[in-house]
Amino acid sequence: MDRLLTGLQPSGALTIGNYCGGISQIVNYQNEYETFLFVPDMHAITVPQDPEALHRNIINAIAMYIACGVNPDLPNMHIYIQSENLYHANLSWIFECFTPHGDLTRMHQFKAKSALHETFTEGLVTYPDLMAADILLYDPKYVPTGIDQKQHVELARNIAIRFNNRFGELFRVPEPLIPSVGAKIRDLQSPENKMSKSSTNPKASVFLSDSEKDIRKKIMSAVTDSDGVISFDEQNKPGVSNLLTIYSVFAGVNLEDAVTQFDGAGYGDLKKAAAEAVVSKVIPFRDKYNEVISSGIINDILNSGREYSTEIAREKYELVRRAVGFGRI
Ligand code: TYM
């Protein structure tokens, strides 16, 4: 079985954007691939986190993956916490010593996040090396993500190619797996930006844990434009295009059909339909989520995920360690 690998940071509650770019793809492919799904808590501390909230978000993220349809009972499904597998940090260090600094500081995400504060941590710079380690330890064929992580996966590919050229075949060169619709769900209040877990505007993001009332309220107050025509044009009509995308993904209607369906309708109709589609899909997740939390299964899932992922990662790390000349002959 080929492998698929992805992670979703526990830096806040998961959004419908995370569902589209990450979780839904895992759910779609979980029967065809050996799947490595982990919580990148080490990535989360590249910006300040409250430790208690971080612990909680880690467990909540796992429960939400399962609530959304990830099946932990599949023998080919491995769910684990990044920091519980020490090989991620070890391989990241090696990558840090081989990656030119400029390759890291040209990353879009680094530029955007470092511009938000007067100072930033070294971890924010080396973040893509850690992400490359997360990926390359397991030789996945595909890395499902939204469009925002494409550049990081490309860096991981470059690192793999560089190491393979220098030391012989060490890594499988992975490919990003980006959905054709829903790769960038936009902020409902500033649709030129992507929807994010950590937005400070409470109306900007729909969380998978939101109540029905909040989902409807947020989508009904989404920013659109003043020309009153429903068409898909991300450049000039990002708000309306975002609502069409959300409707398309959550109602399971293809994008062209959605555009035809709303031809001549008002923005209010589109918002109502998008809200209805999200509510029908997401509200059942909440019931399942509560079931998972109270069932007490999460610890067992994480223990076996840690054990299996550590075994795979150890083998790969040993090869790399020897290749770069560490330790005794
Ligand atoms: P993160 O936690 O920001 O996002 C998790 C996943 O959700 C996708 N995503 C979106 N997709 C569509 N629309 C949006 N508005 C949206 N926002 C987020 C992301 O693309 C991602 O797939 N660095 C990663 C976590 C990570 C990782 C990895 C991923 C660490 N190591 C190894 C893959 C492989 C991140 O911050 O994702």
Side-chain angles (χ1 to χ4, degrees):
M1 242 180 183
D2 280 321
R3 290 178 180 161
L4 201 104
L5 174 143
T6 203
L8 296 97
Q9 280 197 62
S11 45
L14 296 166
T15 70
I16 56 171
N18 299 135
Y19 178 77
C20 296
I23 304 175
S24 70
Q25 297 211 84
I26 293 288
V27 174
N28 288 342
Y29 293 112
Q30 63 187 344
N31 292 311
E32 289 163 58
Y33 293 89
E34 181 174 29
T35 303
F36 291 78
L37 175 57
F38 68 100
V39 183
D41 51 350
M42 293 164 70
H43 277 94
I45 65 160
T46 54
V47 295
Q49 299 290 337
D50 170 58
E52 287 307 318
L54 185 56
H55 280 312
R56 266 198 316 275
N57 285 337
I58 292 168
I59 298 304
N60 294 349
I62 310 272
M64 192 53 90
Y65 301 162
I66 298 168
C68 292
V70 169
N71 182 356
D73 297 330
L74 290 172
N76 55 304
M77 174 63 68
H78 314 292
I79 302 176
Y80 53 101
I81 298 176
Q82 181 188 34
S83 66
E84 292 189 355
N85 181 335
L86 305 183
Y87 293 103
H88 290 238
N90 280 346
L91 185 59
S92 177
W93 175 251
I94 295 178
F95 289 166
E96 284 167 46
C97 297
F98 282 81
T99 308
H101 188 69
D103 284 7
L104 301 172
T105 51
R106 73 177 170 78
M107 295 285 113
H108 305 312
Q109 185 178 286
F110 169 74
K111 286 186 185 160
K113 287 199 177 174
S114 60
L116 293 177
H117 305 285
E118 255 172 49
T119 61
F120 50 83
T121 67
E122 204 56 44
L124 196 67
V125 185
T126 57
Y127 175 118
D129 283 318
L130 178 58
M131 183 159 158
D134 299 338
I135 298 170
L136 300 181
L137 278 170
Y138 302 93
D139 287 327
K141 181 172 166 81
Y142 292 119
V143 180
T145 66
I147 200 81
D148 61 320
Q149 295 300 318
K150 184 168 180 247
Q151 198 186 29
H152 289 157
V153 179
E154 278 163 1
L155 185 85
R157 285 172 58 84
N158 292 342
I159 291 176
I161 292 167
R162 196 178 304 137
F163 268 68
N164 289 349
N165 287 341
R166 171 129 184 221
F167 299 110
E169 286 301 301
L170 279 174
F171 300 118
R172 180 167 196 172
V173 181
E175 302 208 16
L177 189 65
I178 297 181
S180 54
V181 180
K184 180 181 177 180
I185 299 295
R186 293 164 183 276
D187 180 309
L188 295 174
Q189 293 300 313
S190 317
E192 57 289 354
N193 301 325
K194 71 159 188 169
M195 184 180 284
S196 143
K197 294 182 206 95
S198 47
S199 170
T200 48
N201 183 335
K203 293 197 299 188
S205 306
V206 175
F207 297 101
L208 295 173
S209 50
D210 273 346
S211 67
E212 177 170 346
K213 191 166 148 230
D214 283 345
I215 295 174
R216 290 190 199 277
K217 223 166 48 191
K218 289 179 185 179
I219 295 181
M220 291 310 291
S221 58
V223 167
T224 49
D225 54 51
S226 56
D227 85 0
V229 177
I230 296 183
S231 63
F232 190 81
D233 176 351
E234 289 196 284
Q235 198 66 35
N236 300 306
K237 296 173 70 65
V240 171
S241 303
N242 193 36
L243 290 166
L244 282 166
T245 303
I246 292 172
Y247 175 73
S248 163
V249 173
F250 285 89
V253 173
N254 85 40
L255 190 58
E256 292 80 53
D257 293 346
V259 174
T260 313
Q261 186 181 332
F262 289 100
D263 187 28
Y267 290 168
D269 300 323
L270 174 59
K271 286 180 177 178
K272 258 191 225 145
E276 193 55 46
V278 174
V279 163
S280 327
K281 188 92 184 175
V282 165
I283 292 301
F285 295 162
R286 284 171 31 122
D287 297 338
K288 176 83 184 163
Y289 172 89
N290 291 329
E291 238 176 71
V292 176
I293 291 279
S294 53
S295 70
I297 58 173
I298 291 180
N299 261 334
D300 287 347
I301 292 170
L302 289 176
N303 286 342
S304 68
R306 177 186 57 199
E307 210 172 294
Y308 186 76
S309 71
T310 301
E311 216 174 280
I312 306 278
R314 181 190 297 118
E315 265 177 46
K316 180 64 75 183
Y317 178 74
E318 279 302 316
L319 293 176
V320 184
R321 191 177 77 81
R322 269 188 233 125
V324 301
F326 279 0
R328 288 171 272 180
I329 295 177

